Amino acid sequence: LNTTSSDEDMLSLVLMDPDPSSFGGLMTTTQPVPKPGTGEILVQVFASSVSPLDVAIARGEVAPRLPTPTGTKSATTPTGYDFCGLVLDGPIDILGKTVFGSGPDWGIGTHCQFIRIPAASVLEKPDFLQVRE
C-alpha cells in the first residue's frame, strides 16, 4: 500500500472567497493529512468530480456546508463531494480496497489528496469500473 504518516501535508483545492463572475476564489493549499477516528477510514483520493453544486458554490450562488478533512468547518475547506480512492487506514475488511462515495451533509471536501470519512459511507468499487468512471 502507498501509505503516508499523519504528520505529512496534502494538497487541497479550497474556496477562499466565492466569486459570482469567476472561479477566482479557488486556490490550492496544503493541509495536514486527516486522522481517522472511530468508525472512520482514511482514503487516498484518486478521482473526484466537479459537480454543478461545486460550480454554484464557487460562484457564491450556494453557501458551502463542508467540514474540513479534520472534521471542523472552516473558510479553507476543500471543495468536492464525490470521490473514488484507496483505503489506507480503517477496518481490516476494507483496508487496501478501492472505494467510492459521497460525504454526508453535502460532502466532505474531496478535492484533496486524502479524506477521512465514516466507513459506512463508502462502497467498494466494482471491478468492471475504472476509477475515473
Side-chain angles (χ1 to χ4, degrees):
L1 295 176
N2 181 12
T3 60
T4 183
S5 78
S6 59
D7 295 331
E8 293 181 28
D9 286 337
M10 65 176 179
L11 291 175
S12 300
L13 181 66
V14 299
L15 180 63
M16 297 300 290
D17 188 22
D19 184 346
S21 64
S22 71
F23 296 103
L26 292 170
M27 64 178 287
T28 303
T29 187
T30 57
Q31 295 181 334
V33 172
K35 296 179 185 179
T38 303
E40 295 180 326
I41 58 175
L42 177 66
V43 177
Q44 181 180 9
V45 176
F46 293 154
S48 181
S49 67
V50 177
S51 72
L53 184 56
D54 293 312
V55 173
I57 289 172
R59 289 186 173 157
E61 299 166 358
V62 176
R65 292 178 30 195
L66 300 171
T68 65
T70 57
T72 59
K73 295 187 182 214
S74 165
T76 57
T77 296
T79 58
Y81 299 100
D82 306 314
F83 69 93
C84 184
L86 179 69
V87 178
L88 298 179
D89 191 2
I92 193 73
D93 60 325
I94 60 171
L95 192 61
K97 297 193 185 275
T98 302
V99 297
F100 68 95
S102 296
D105 190 29
W106 281 25
I108 52 169
T110 60
H111 294 158
C112 51
Q113 293 177 299
F114 302 92
I115 59 170
R116 71 175 224 187
I117 186 168
S121 296
V122 301
L123 294 172
E124 187 174 349
K125 181 189 75 61
D127 290 337
F128 64 87
L129 290 177
Q130 299 296 315
V131 168
R132 67 178 187 259
E133 294 178 294

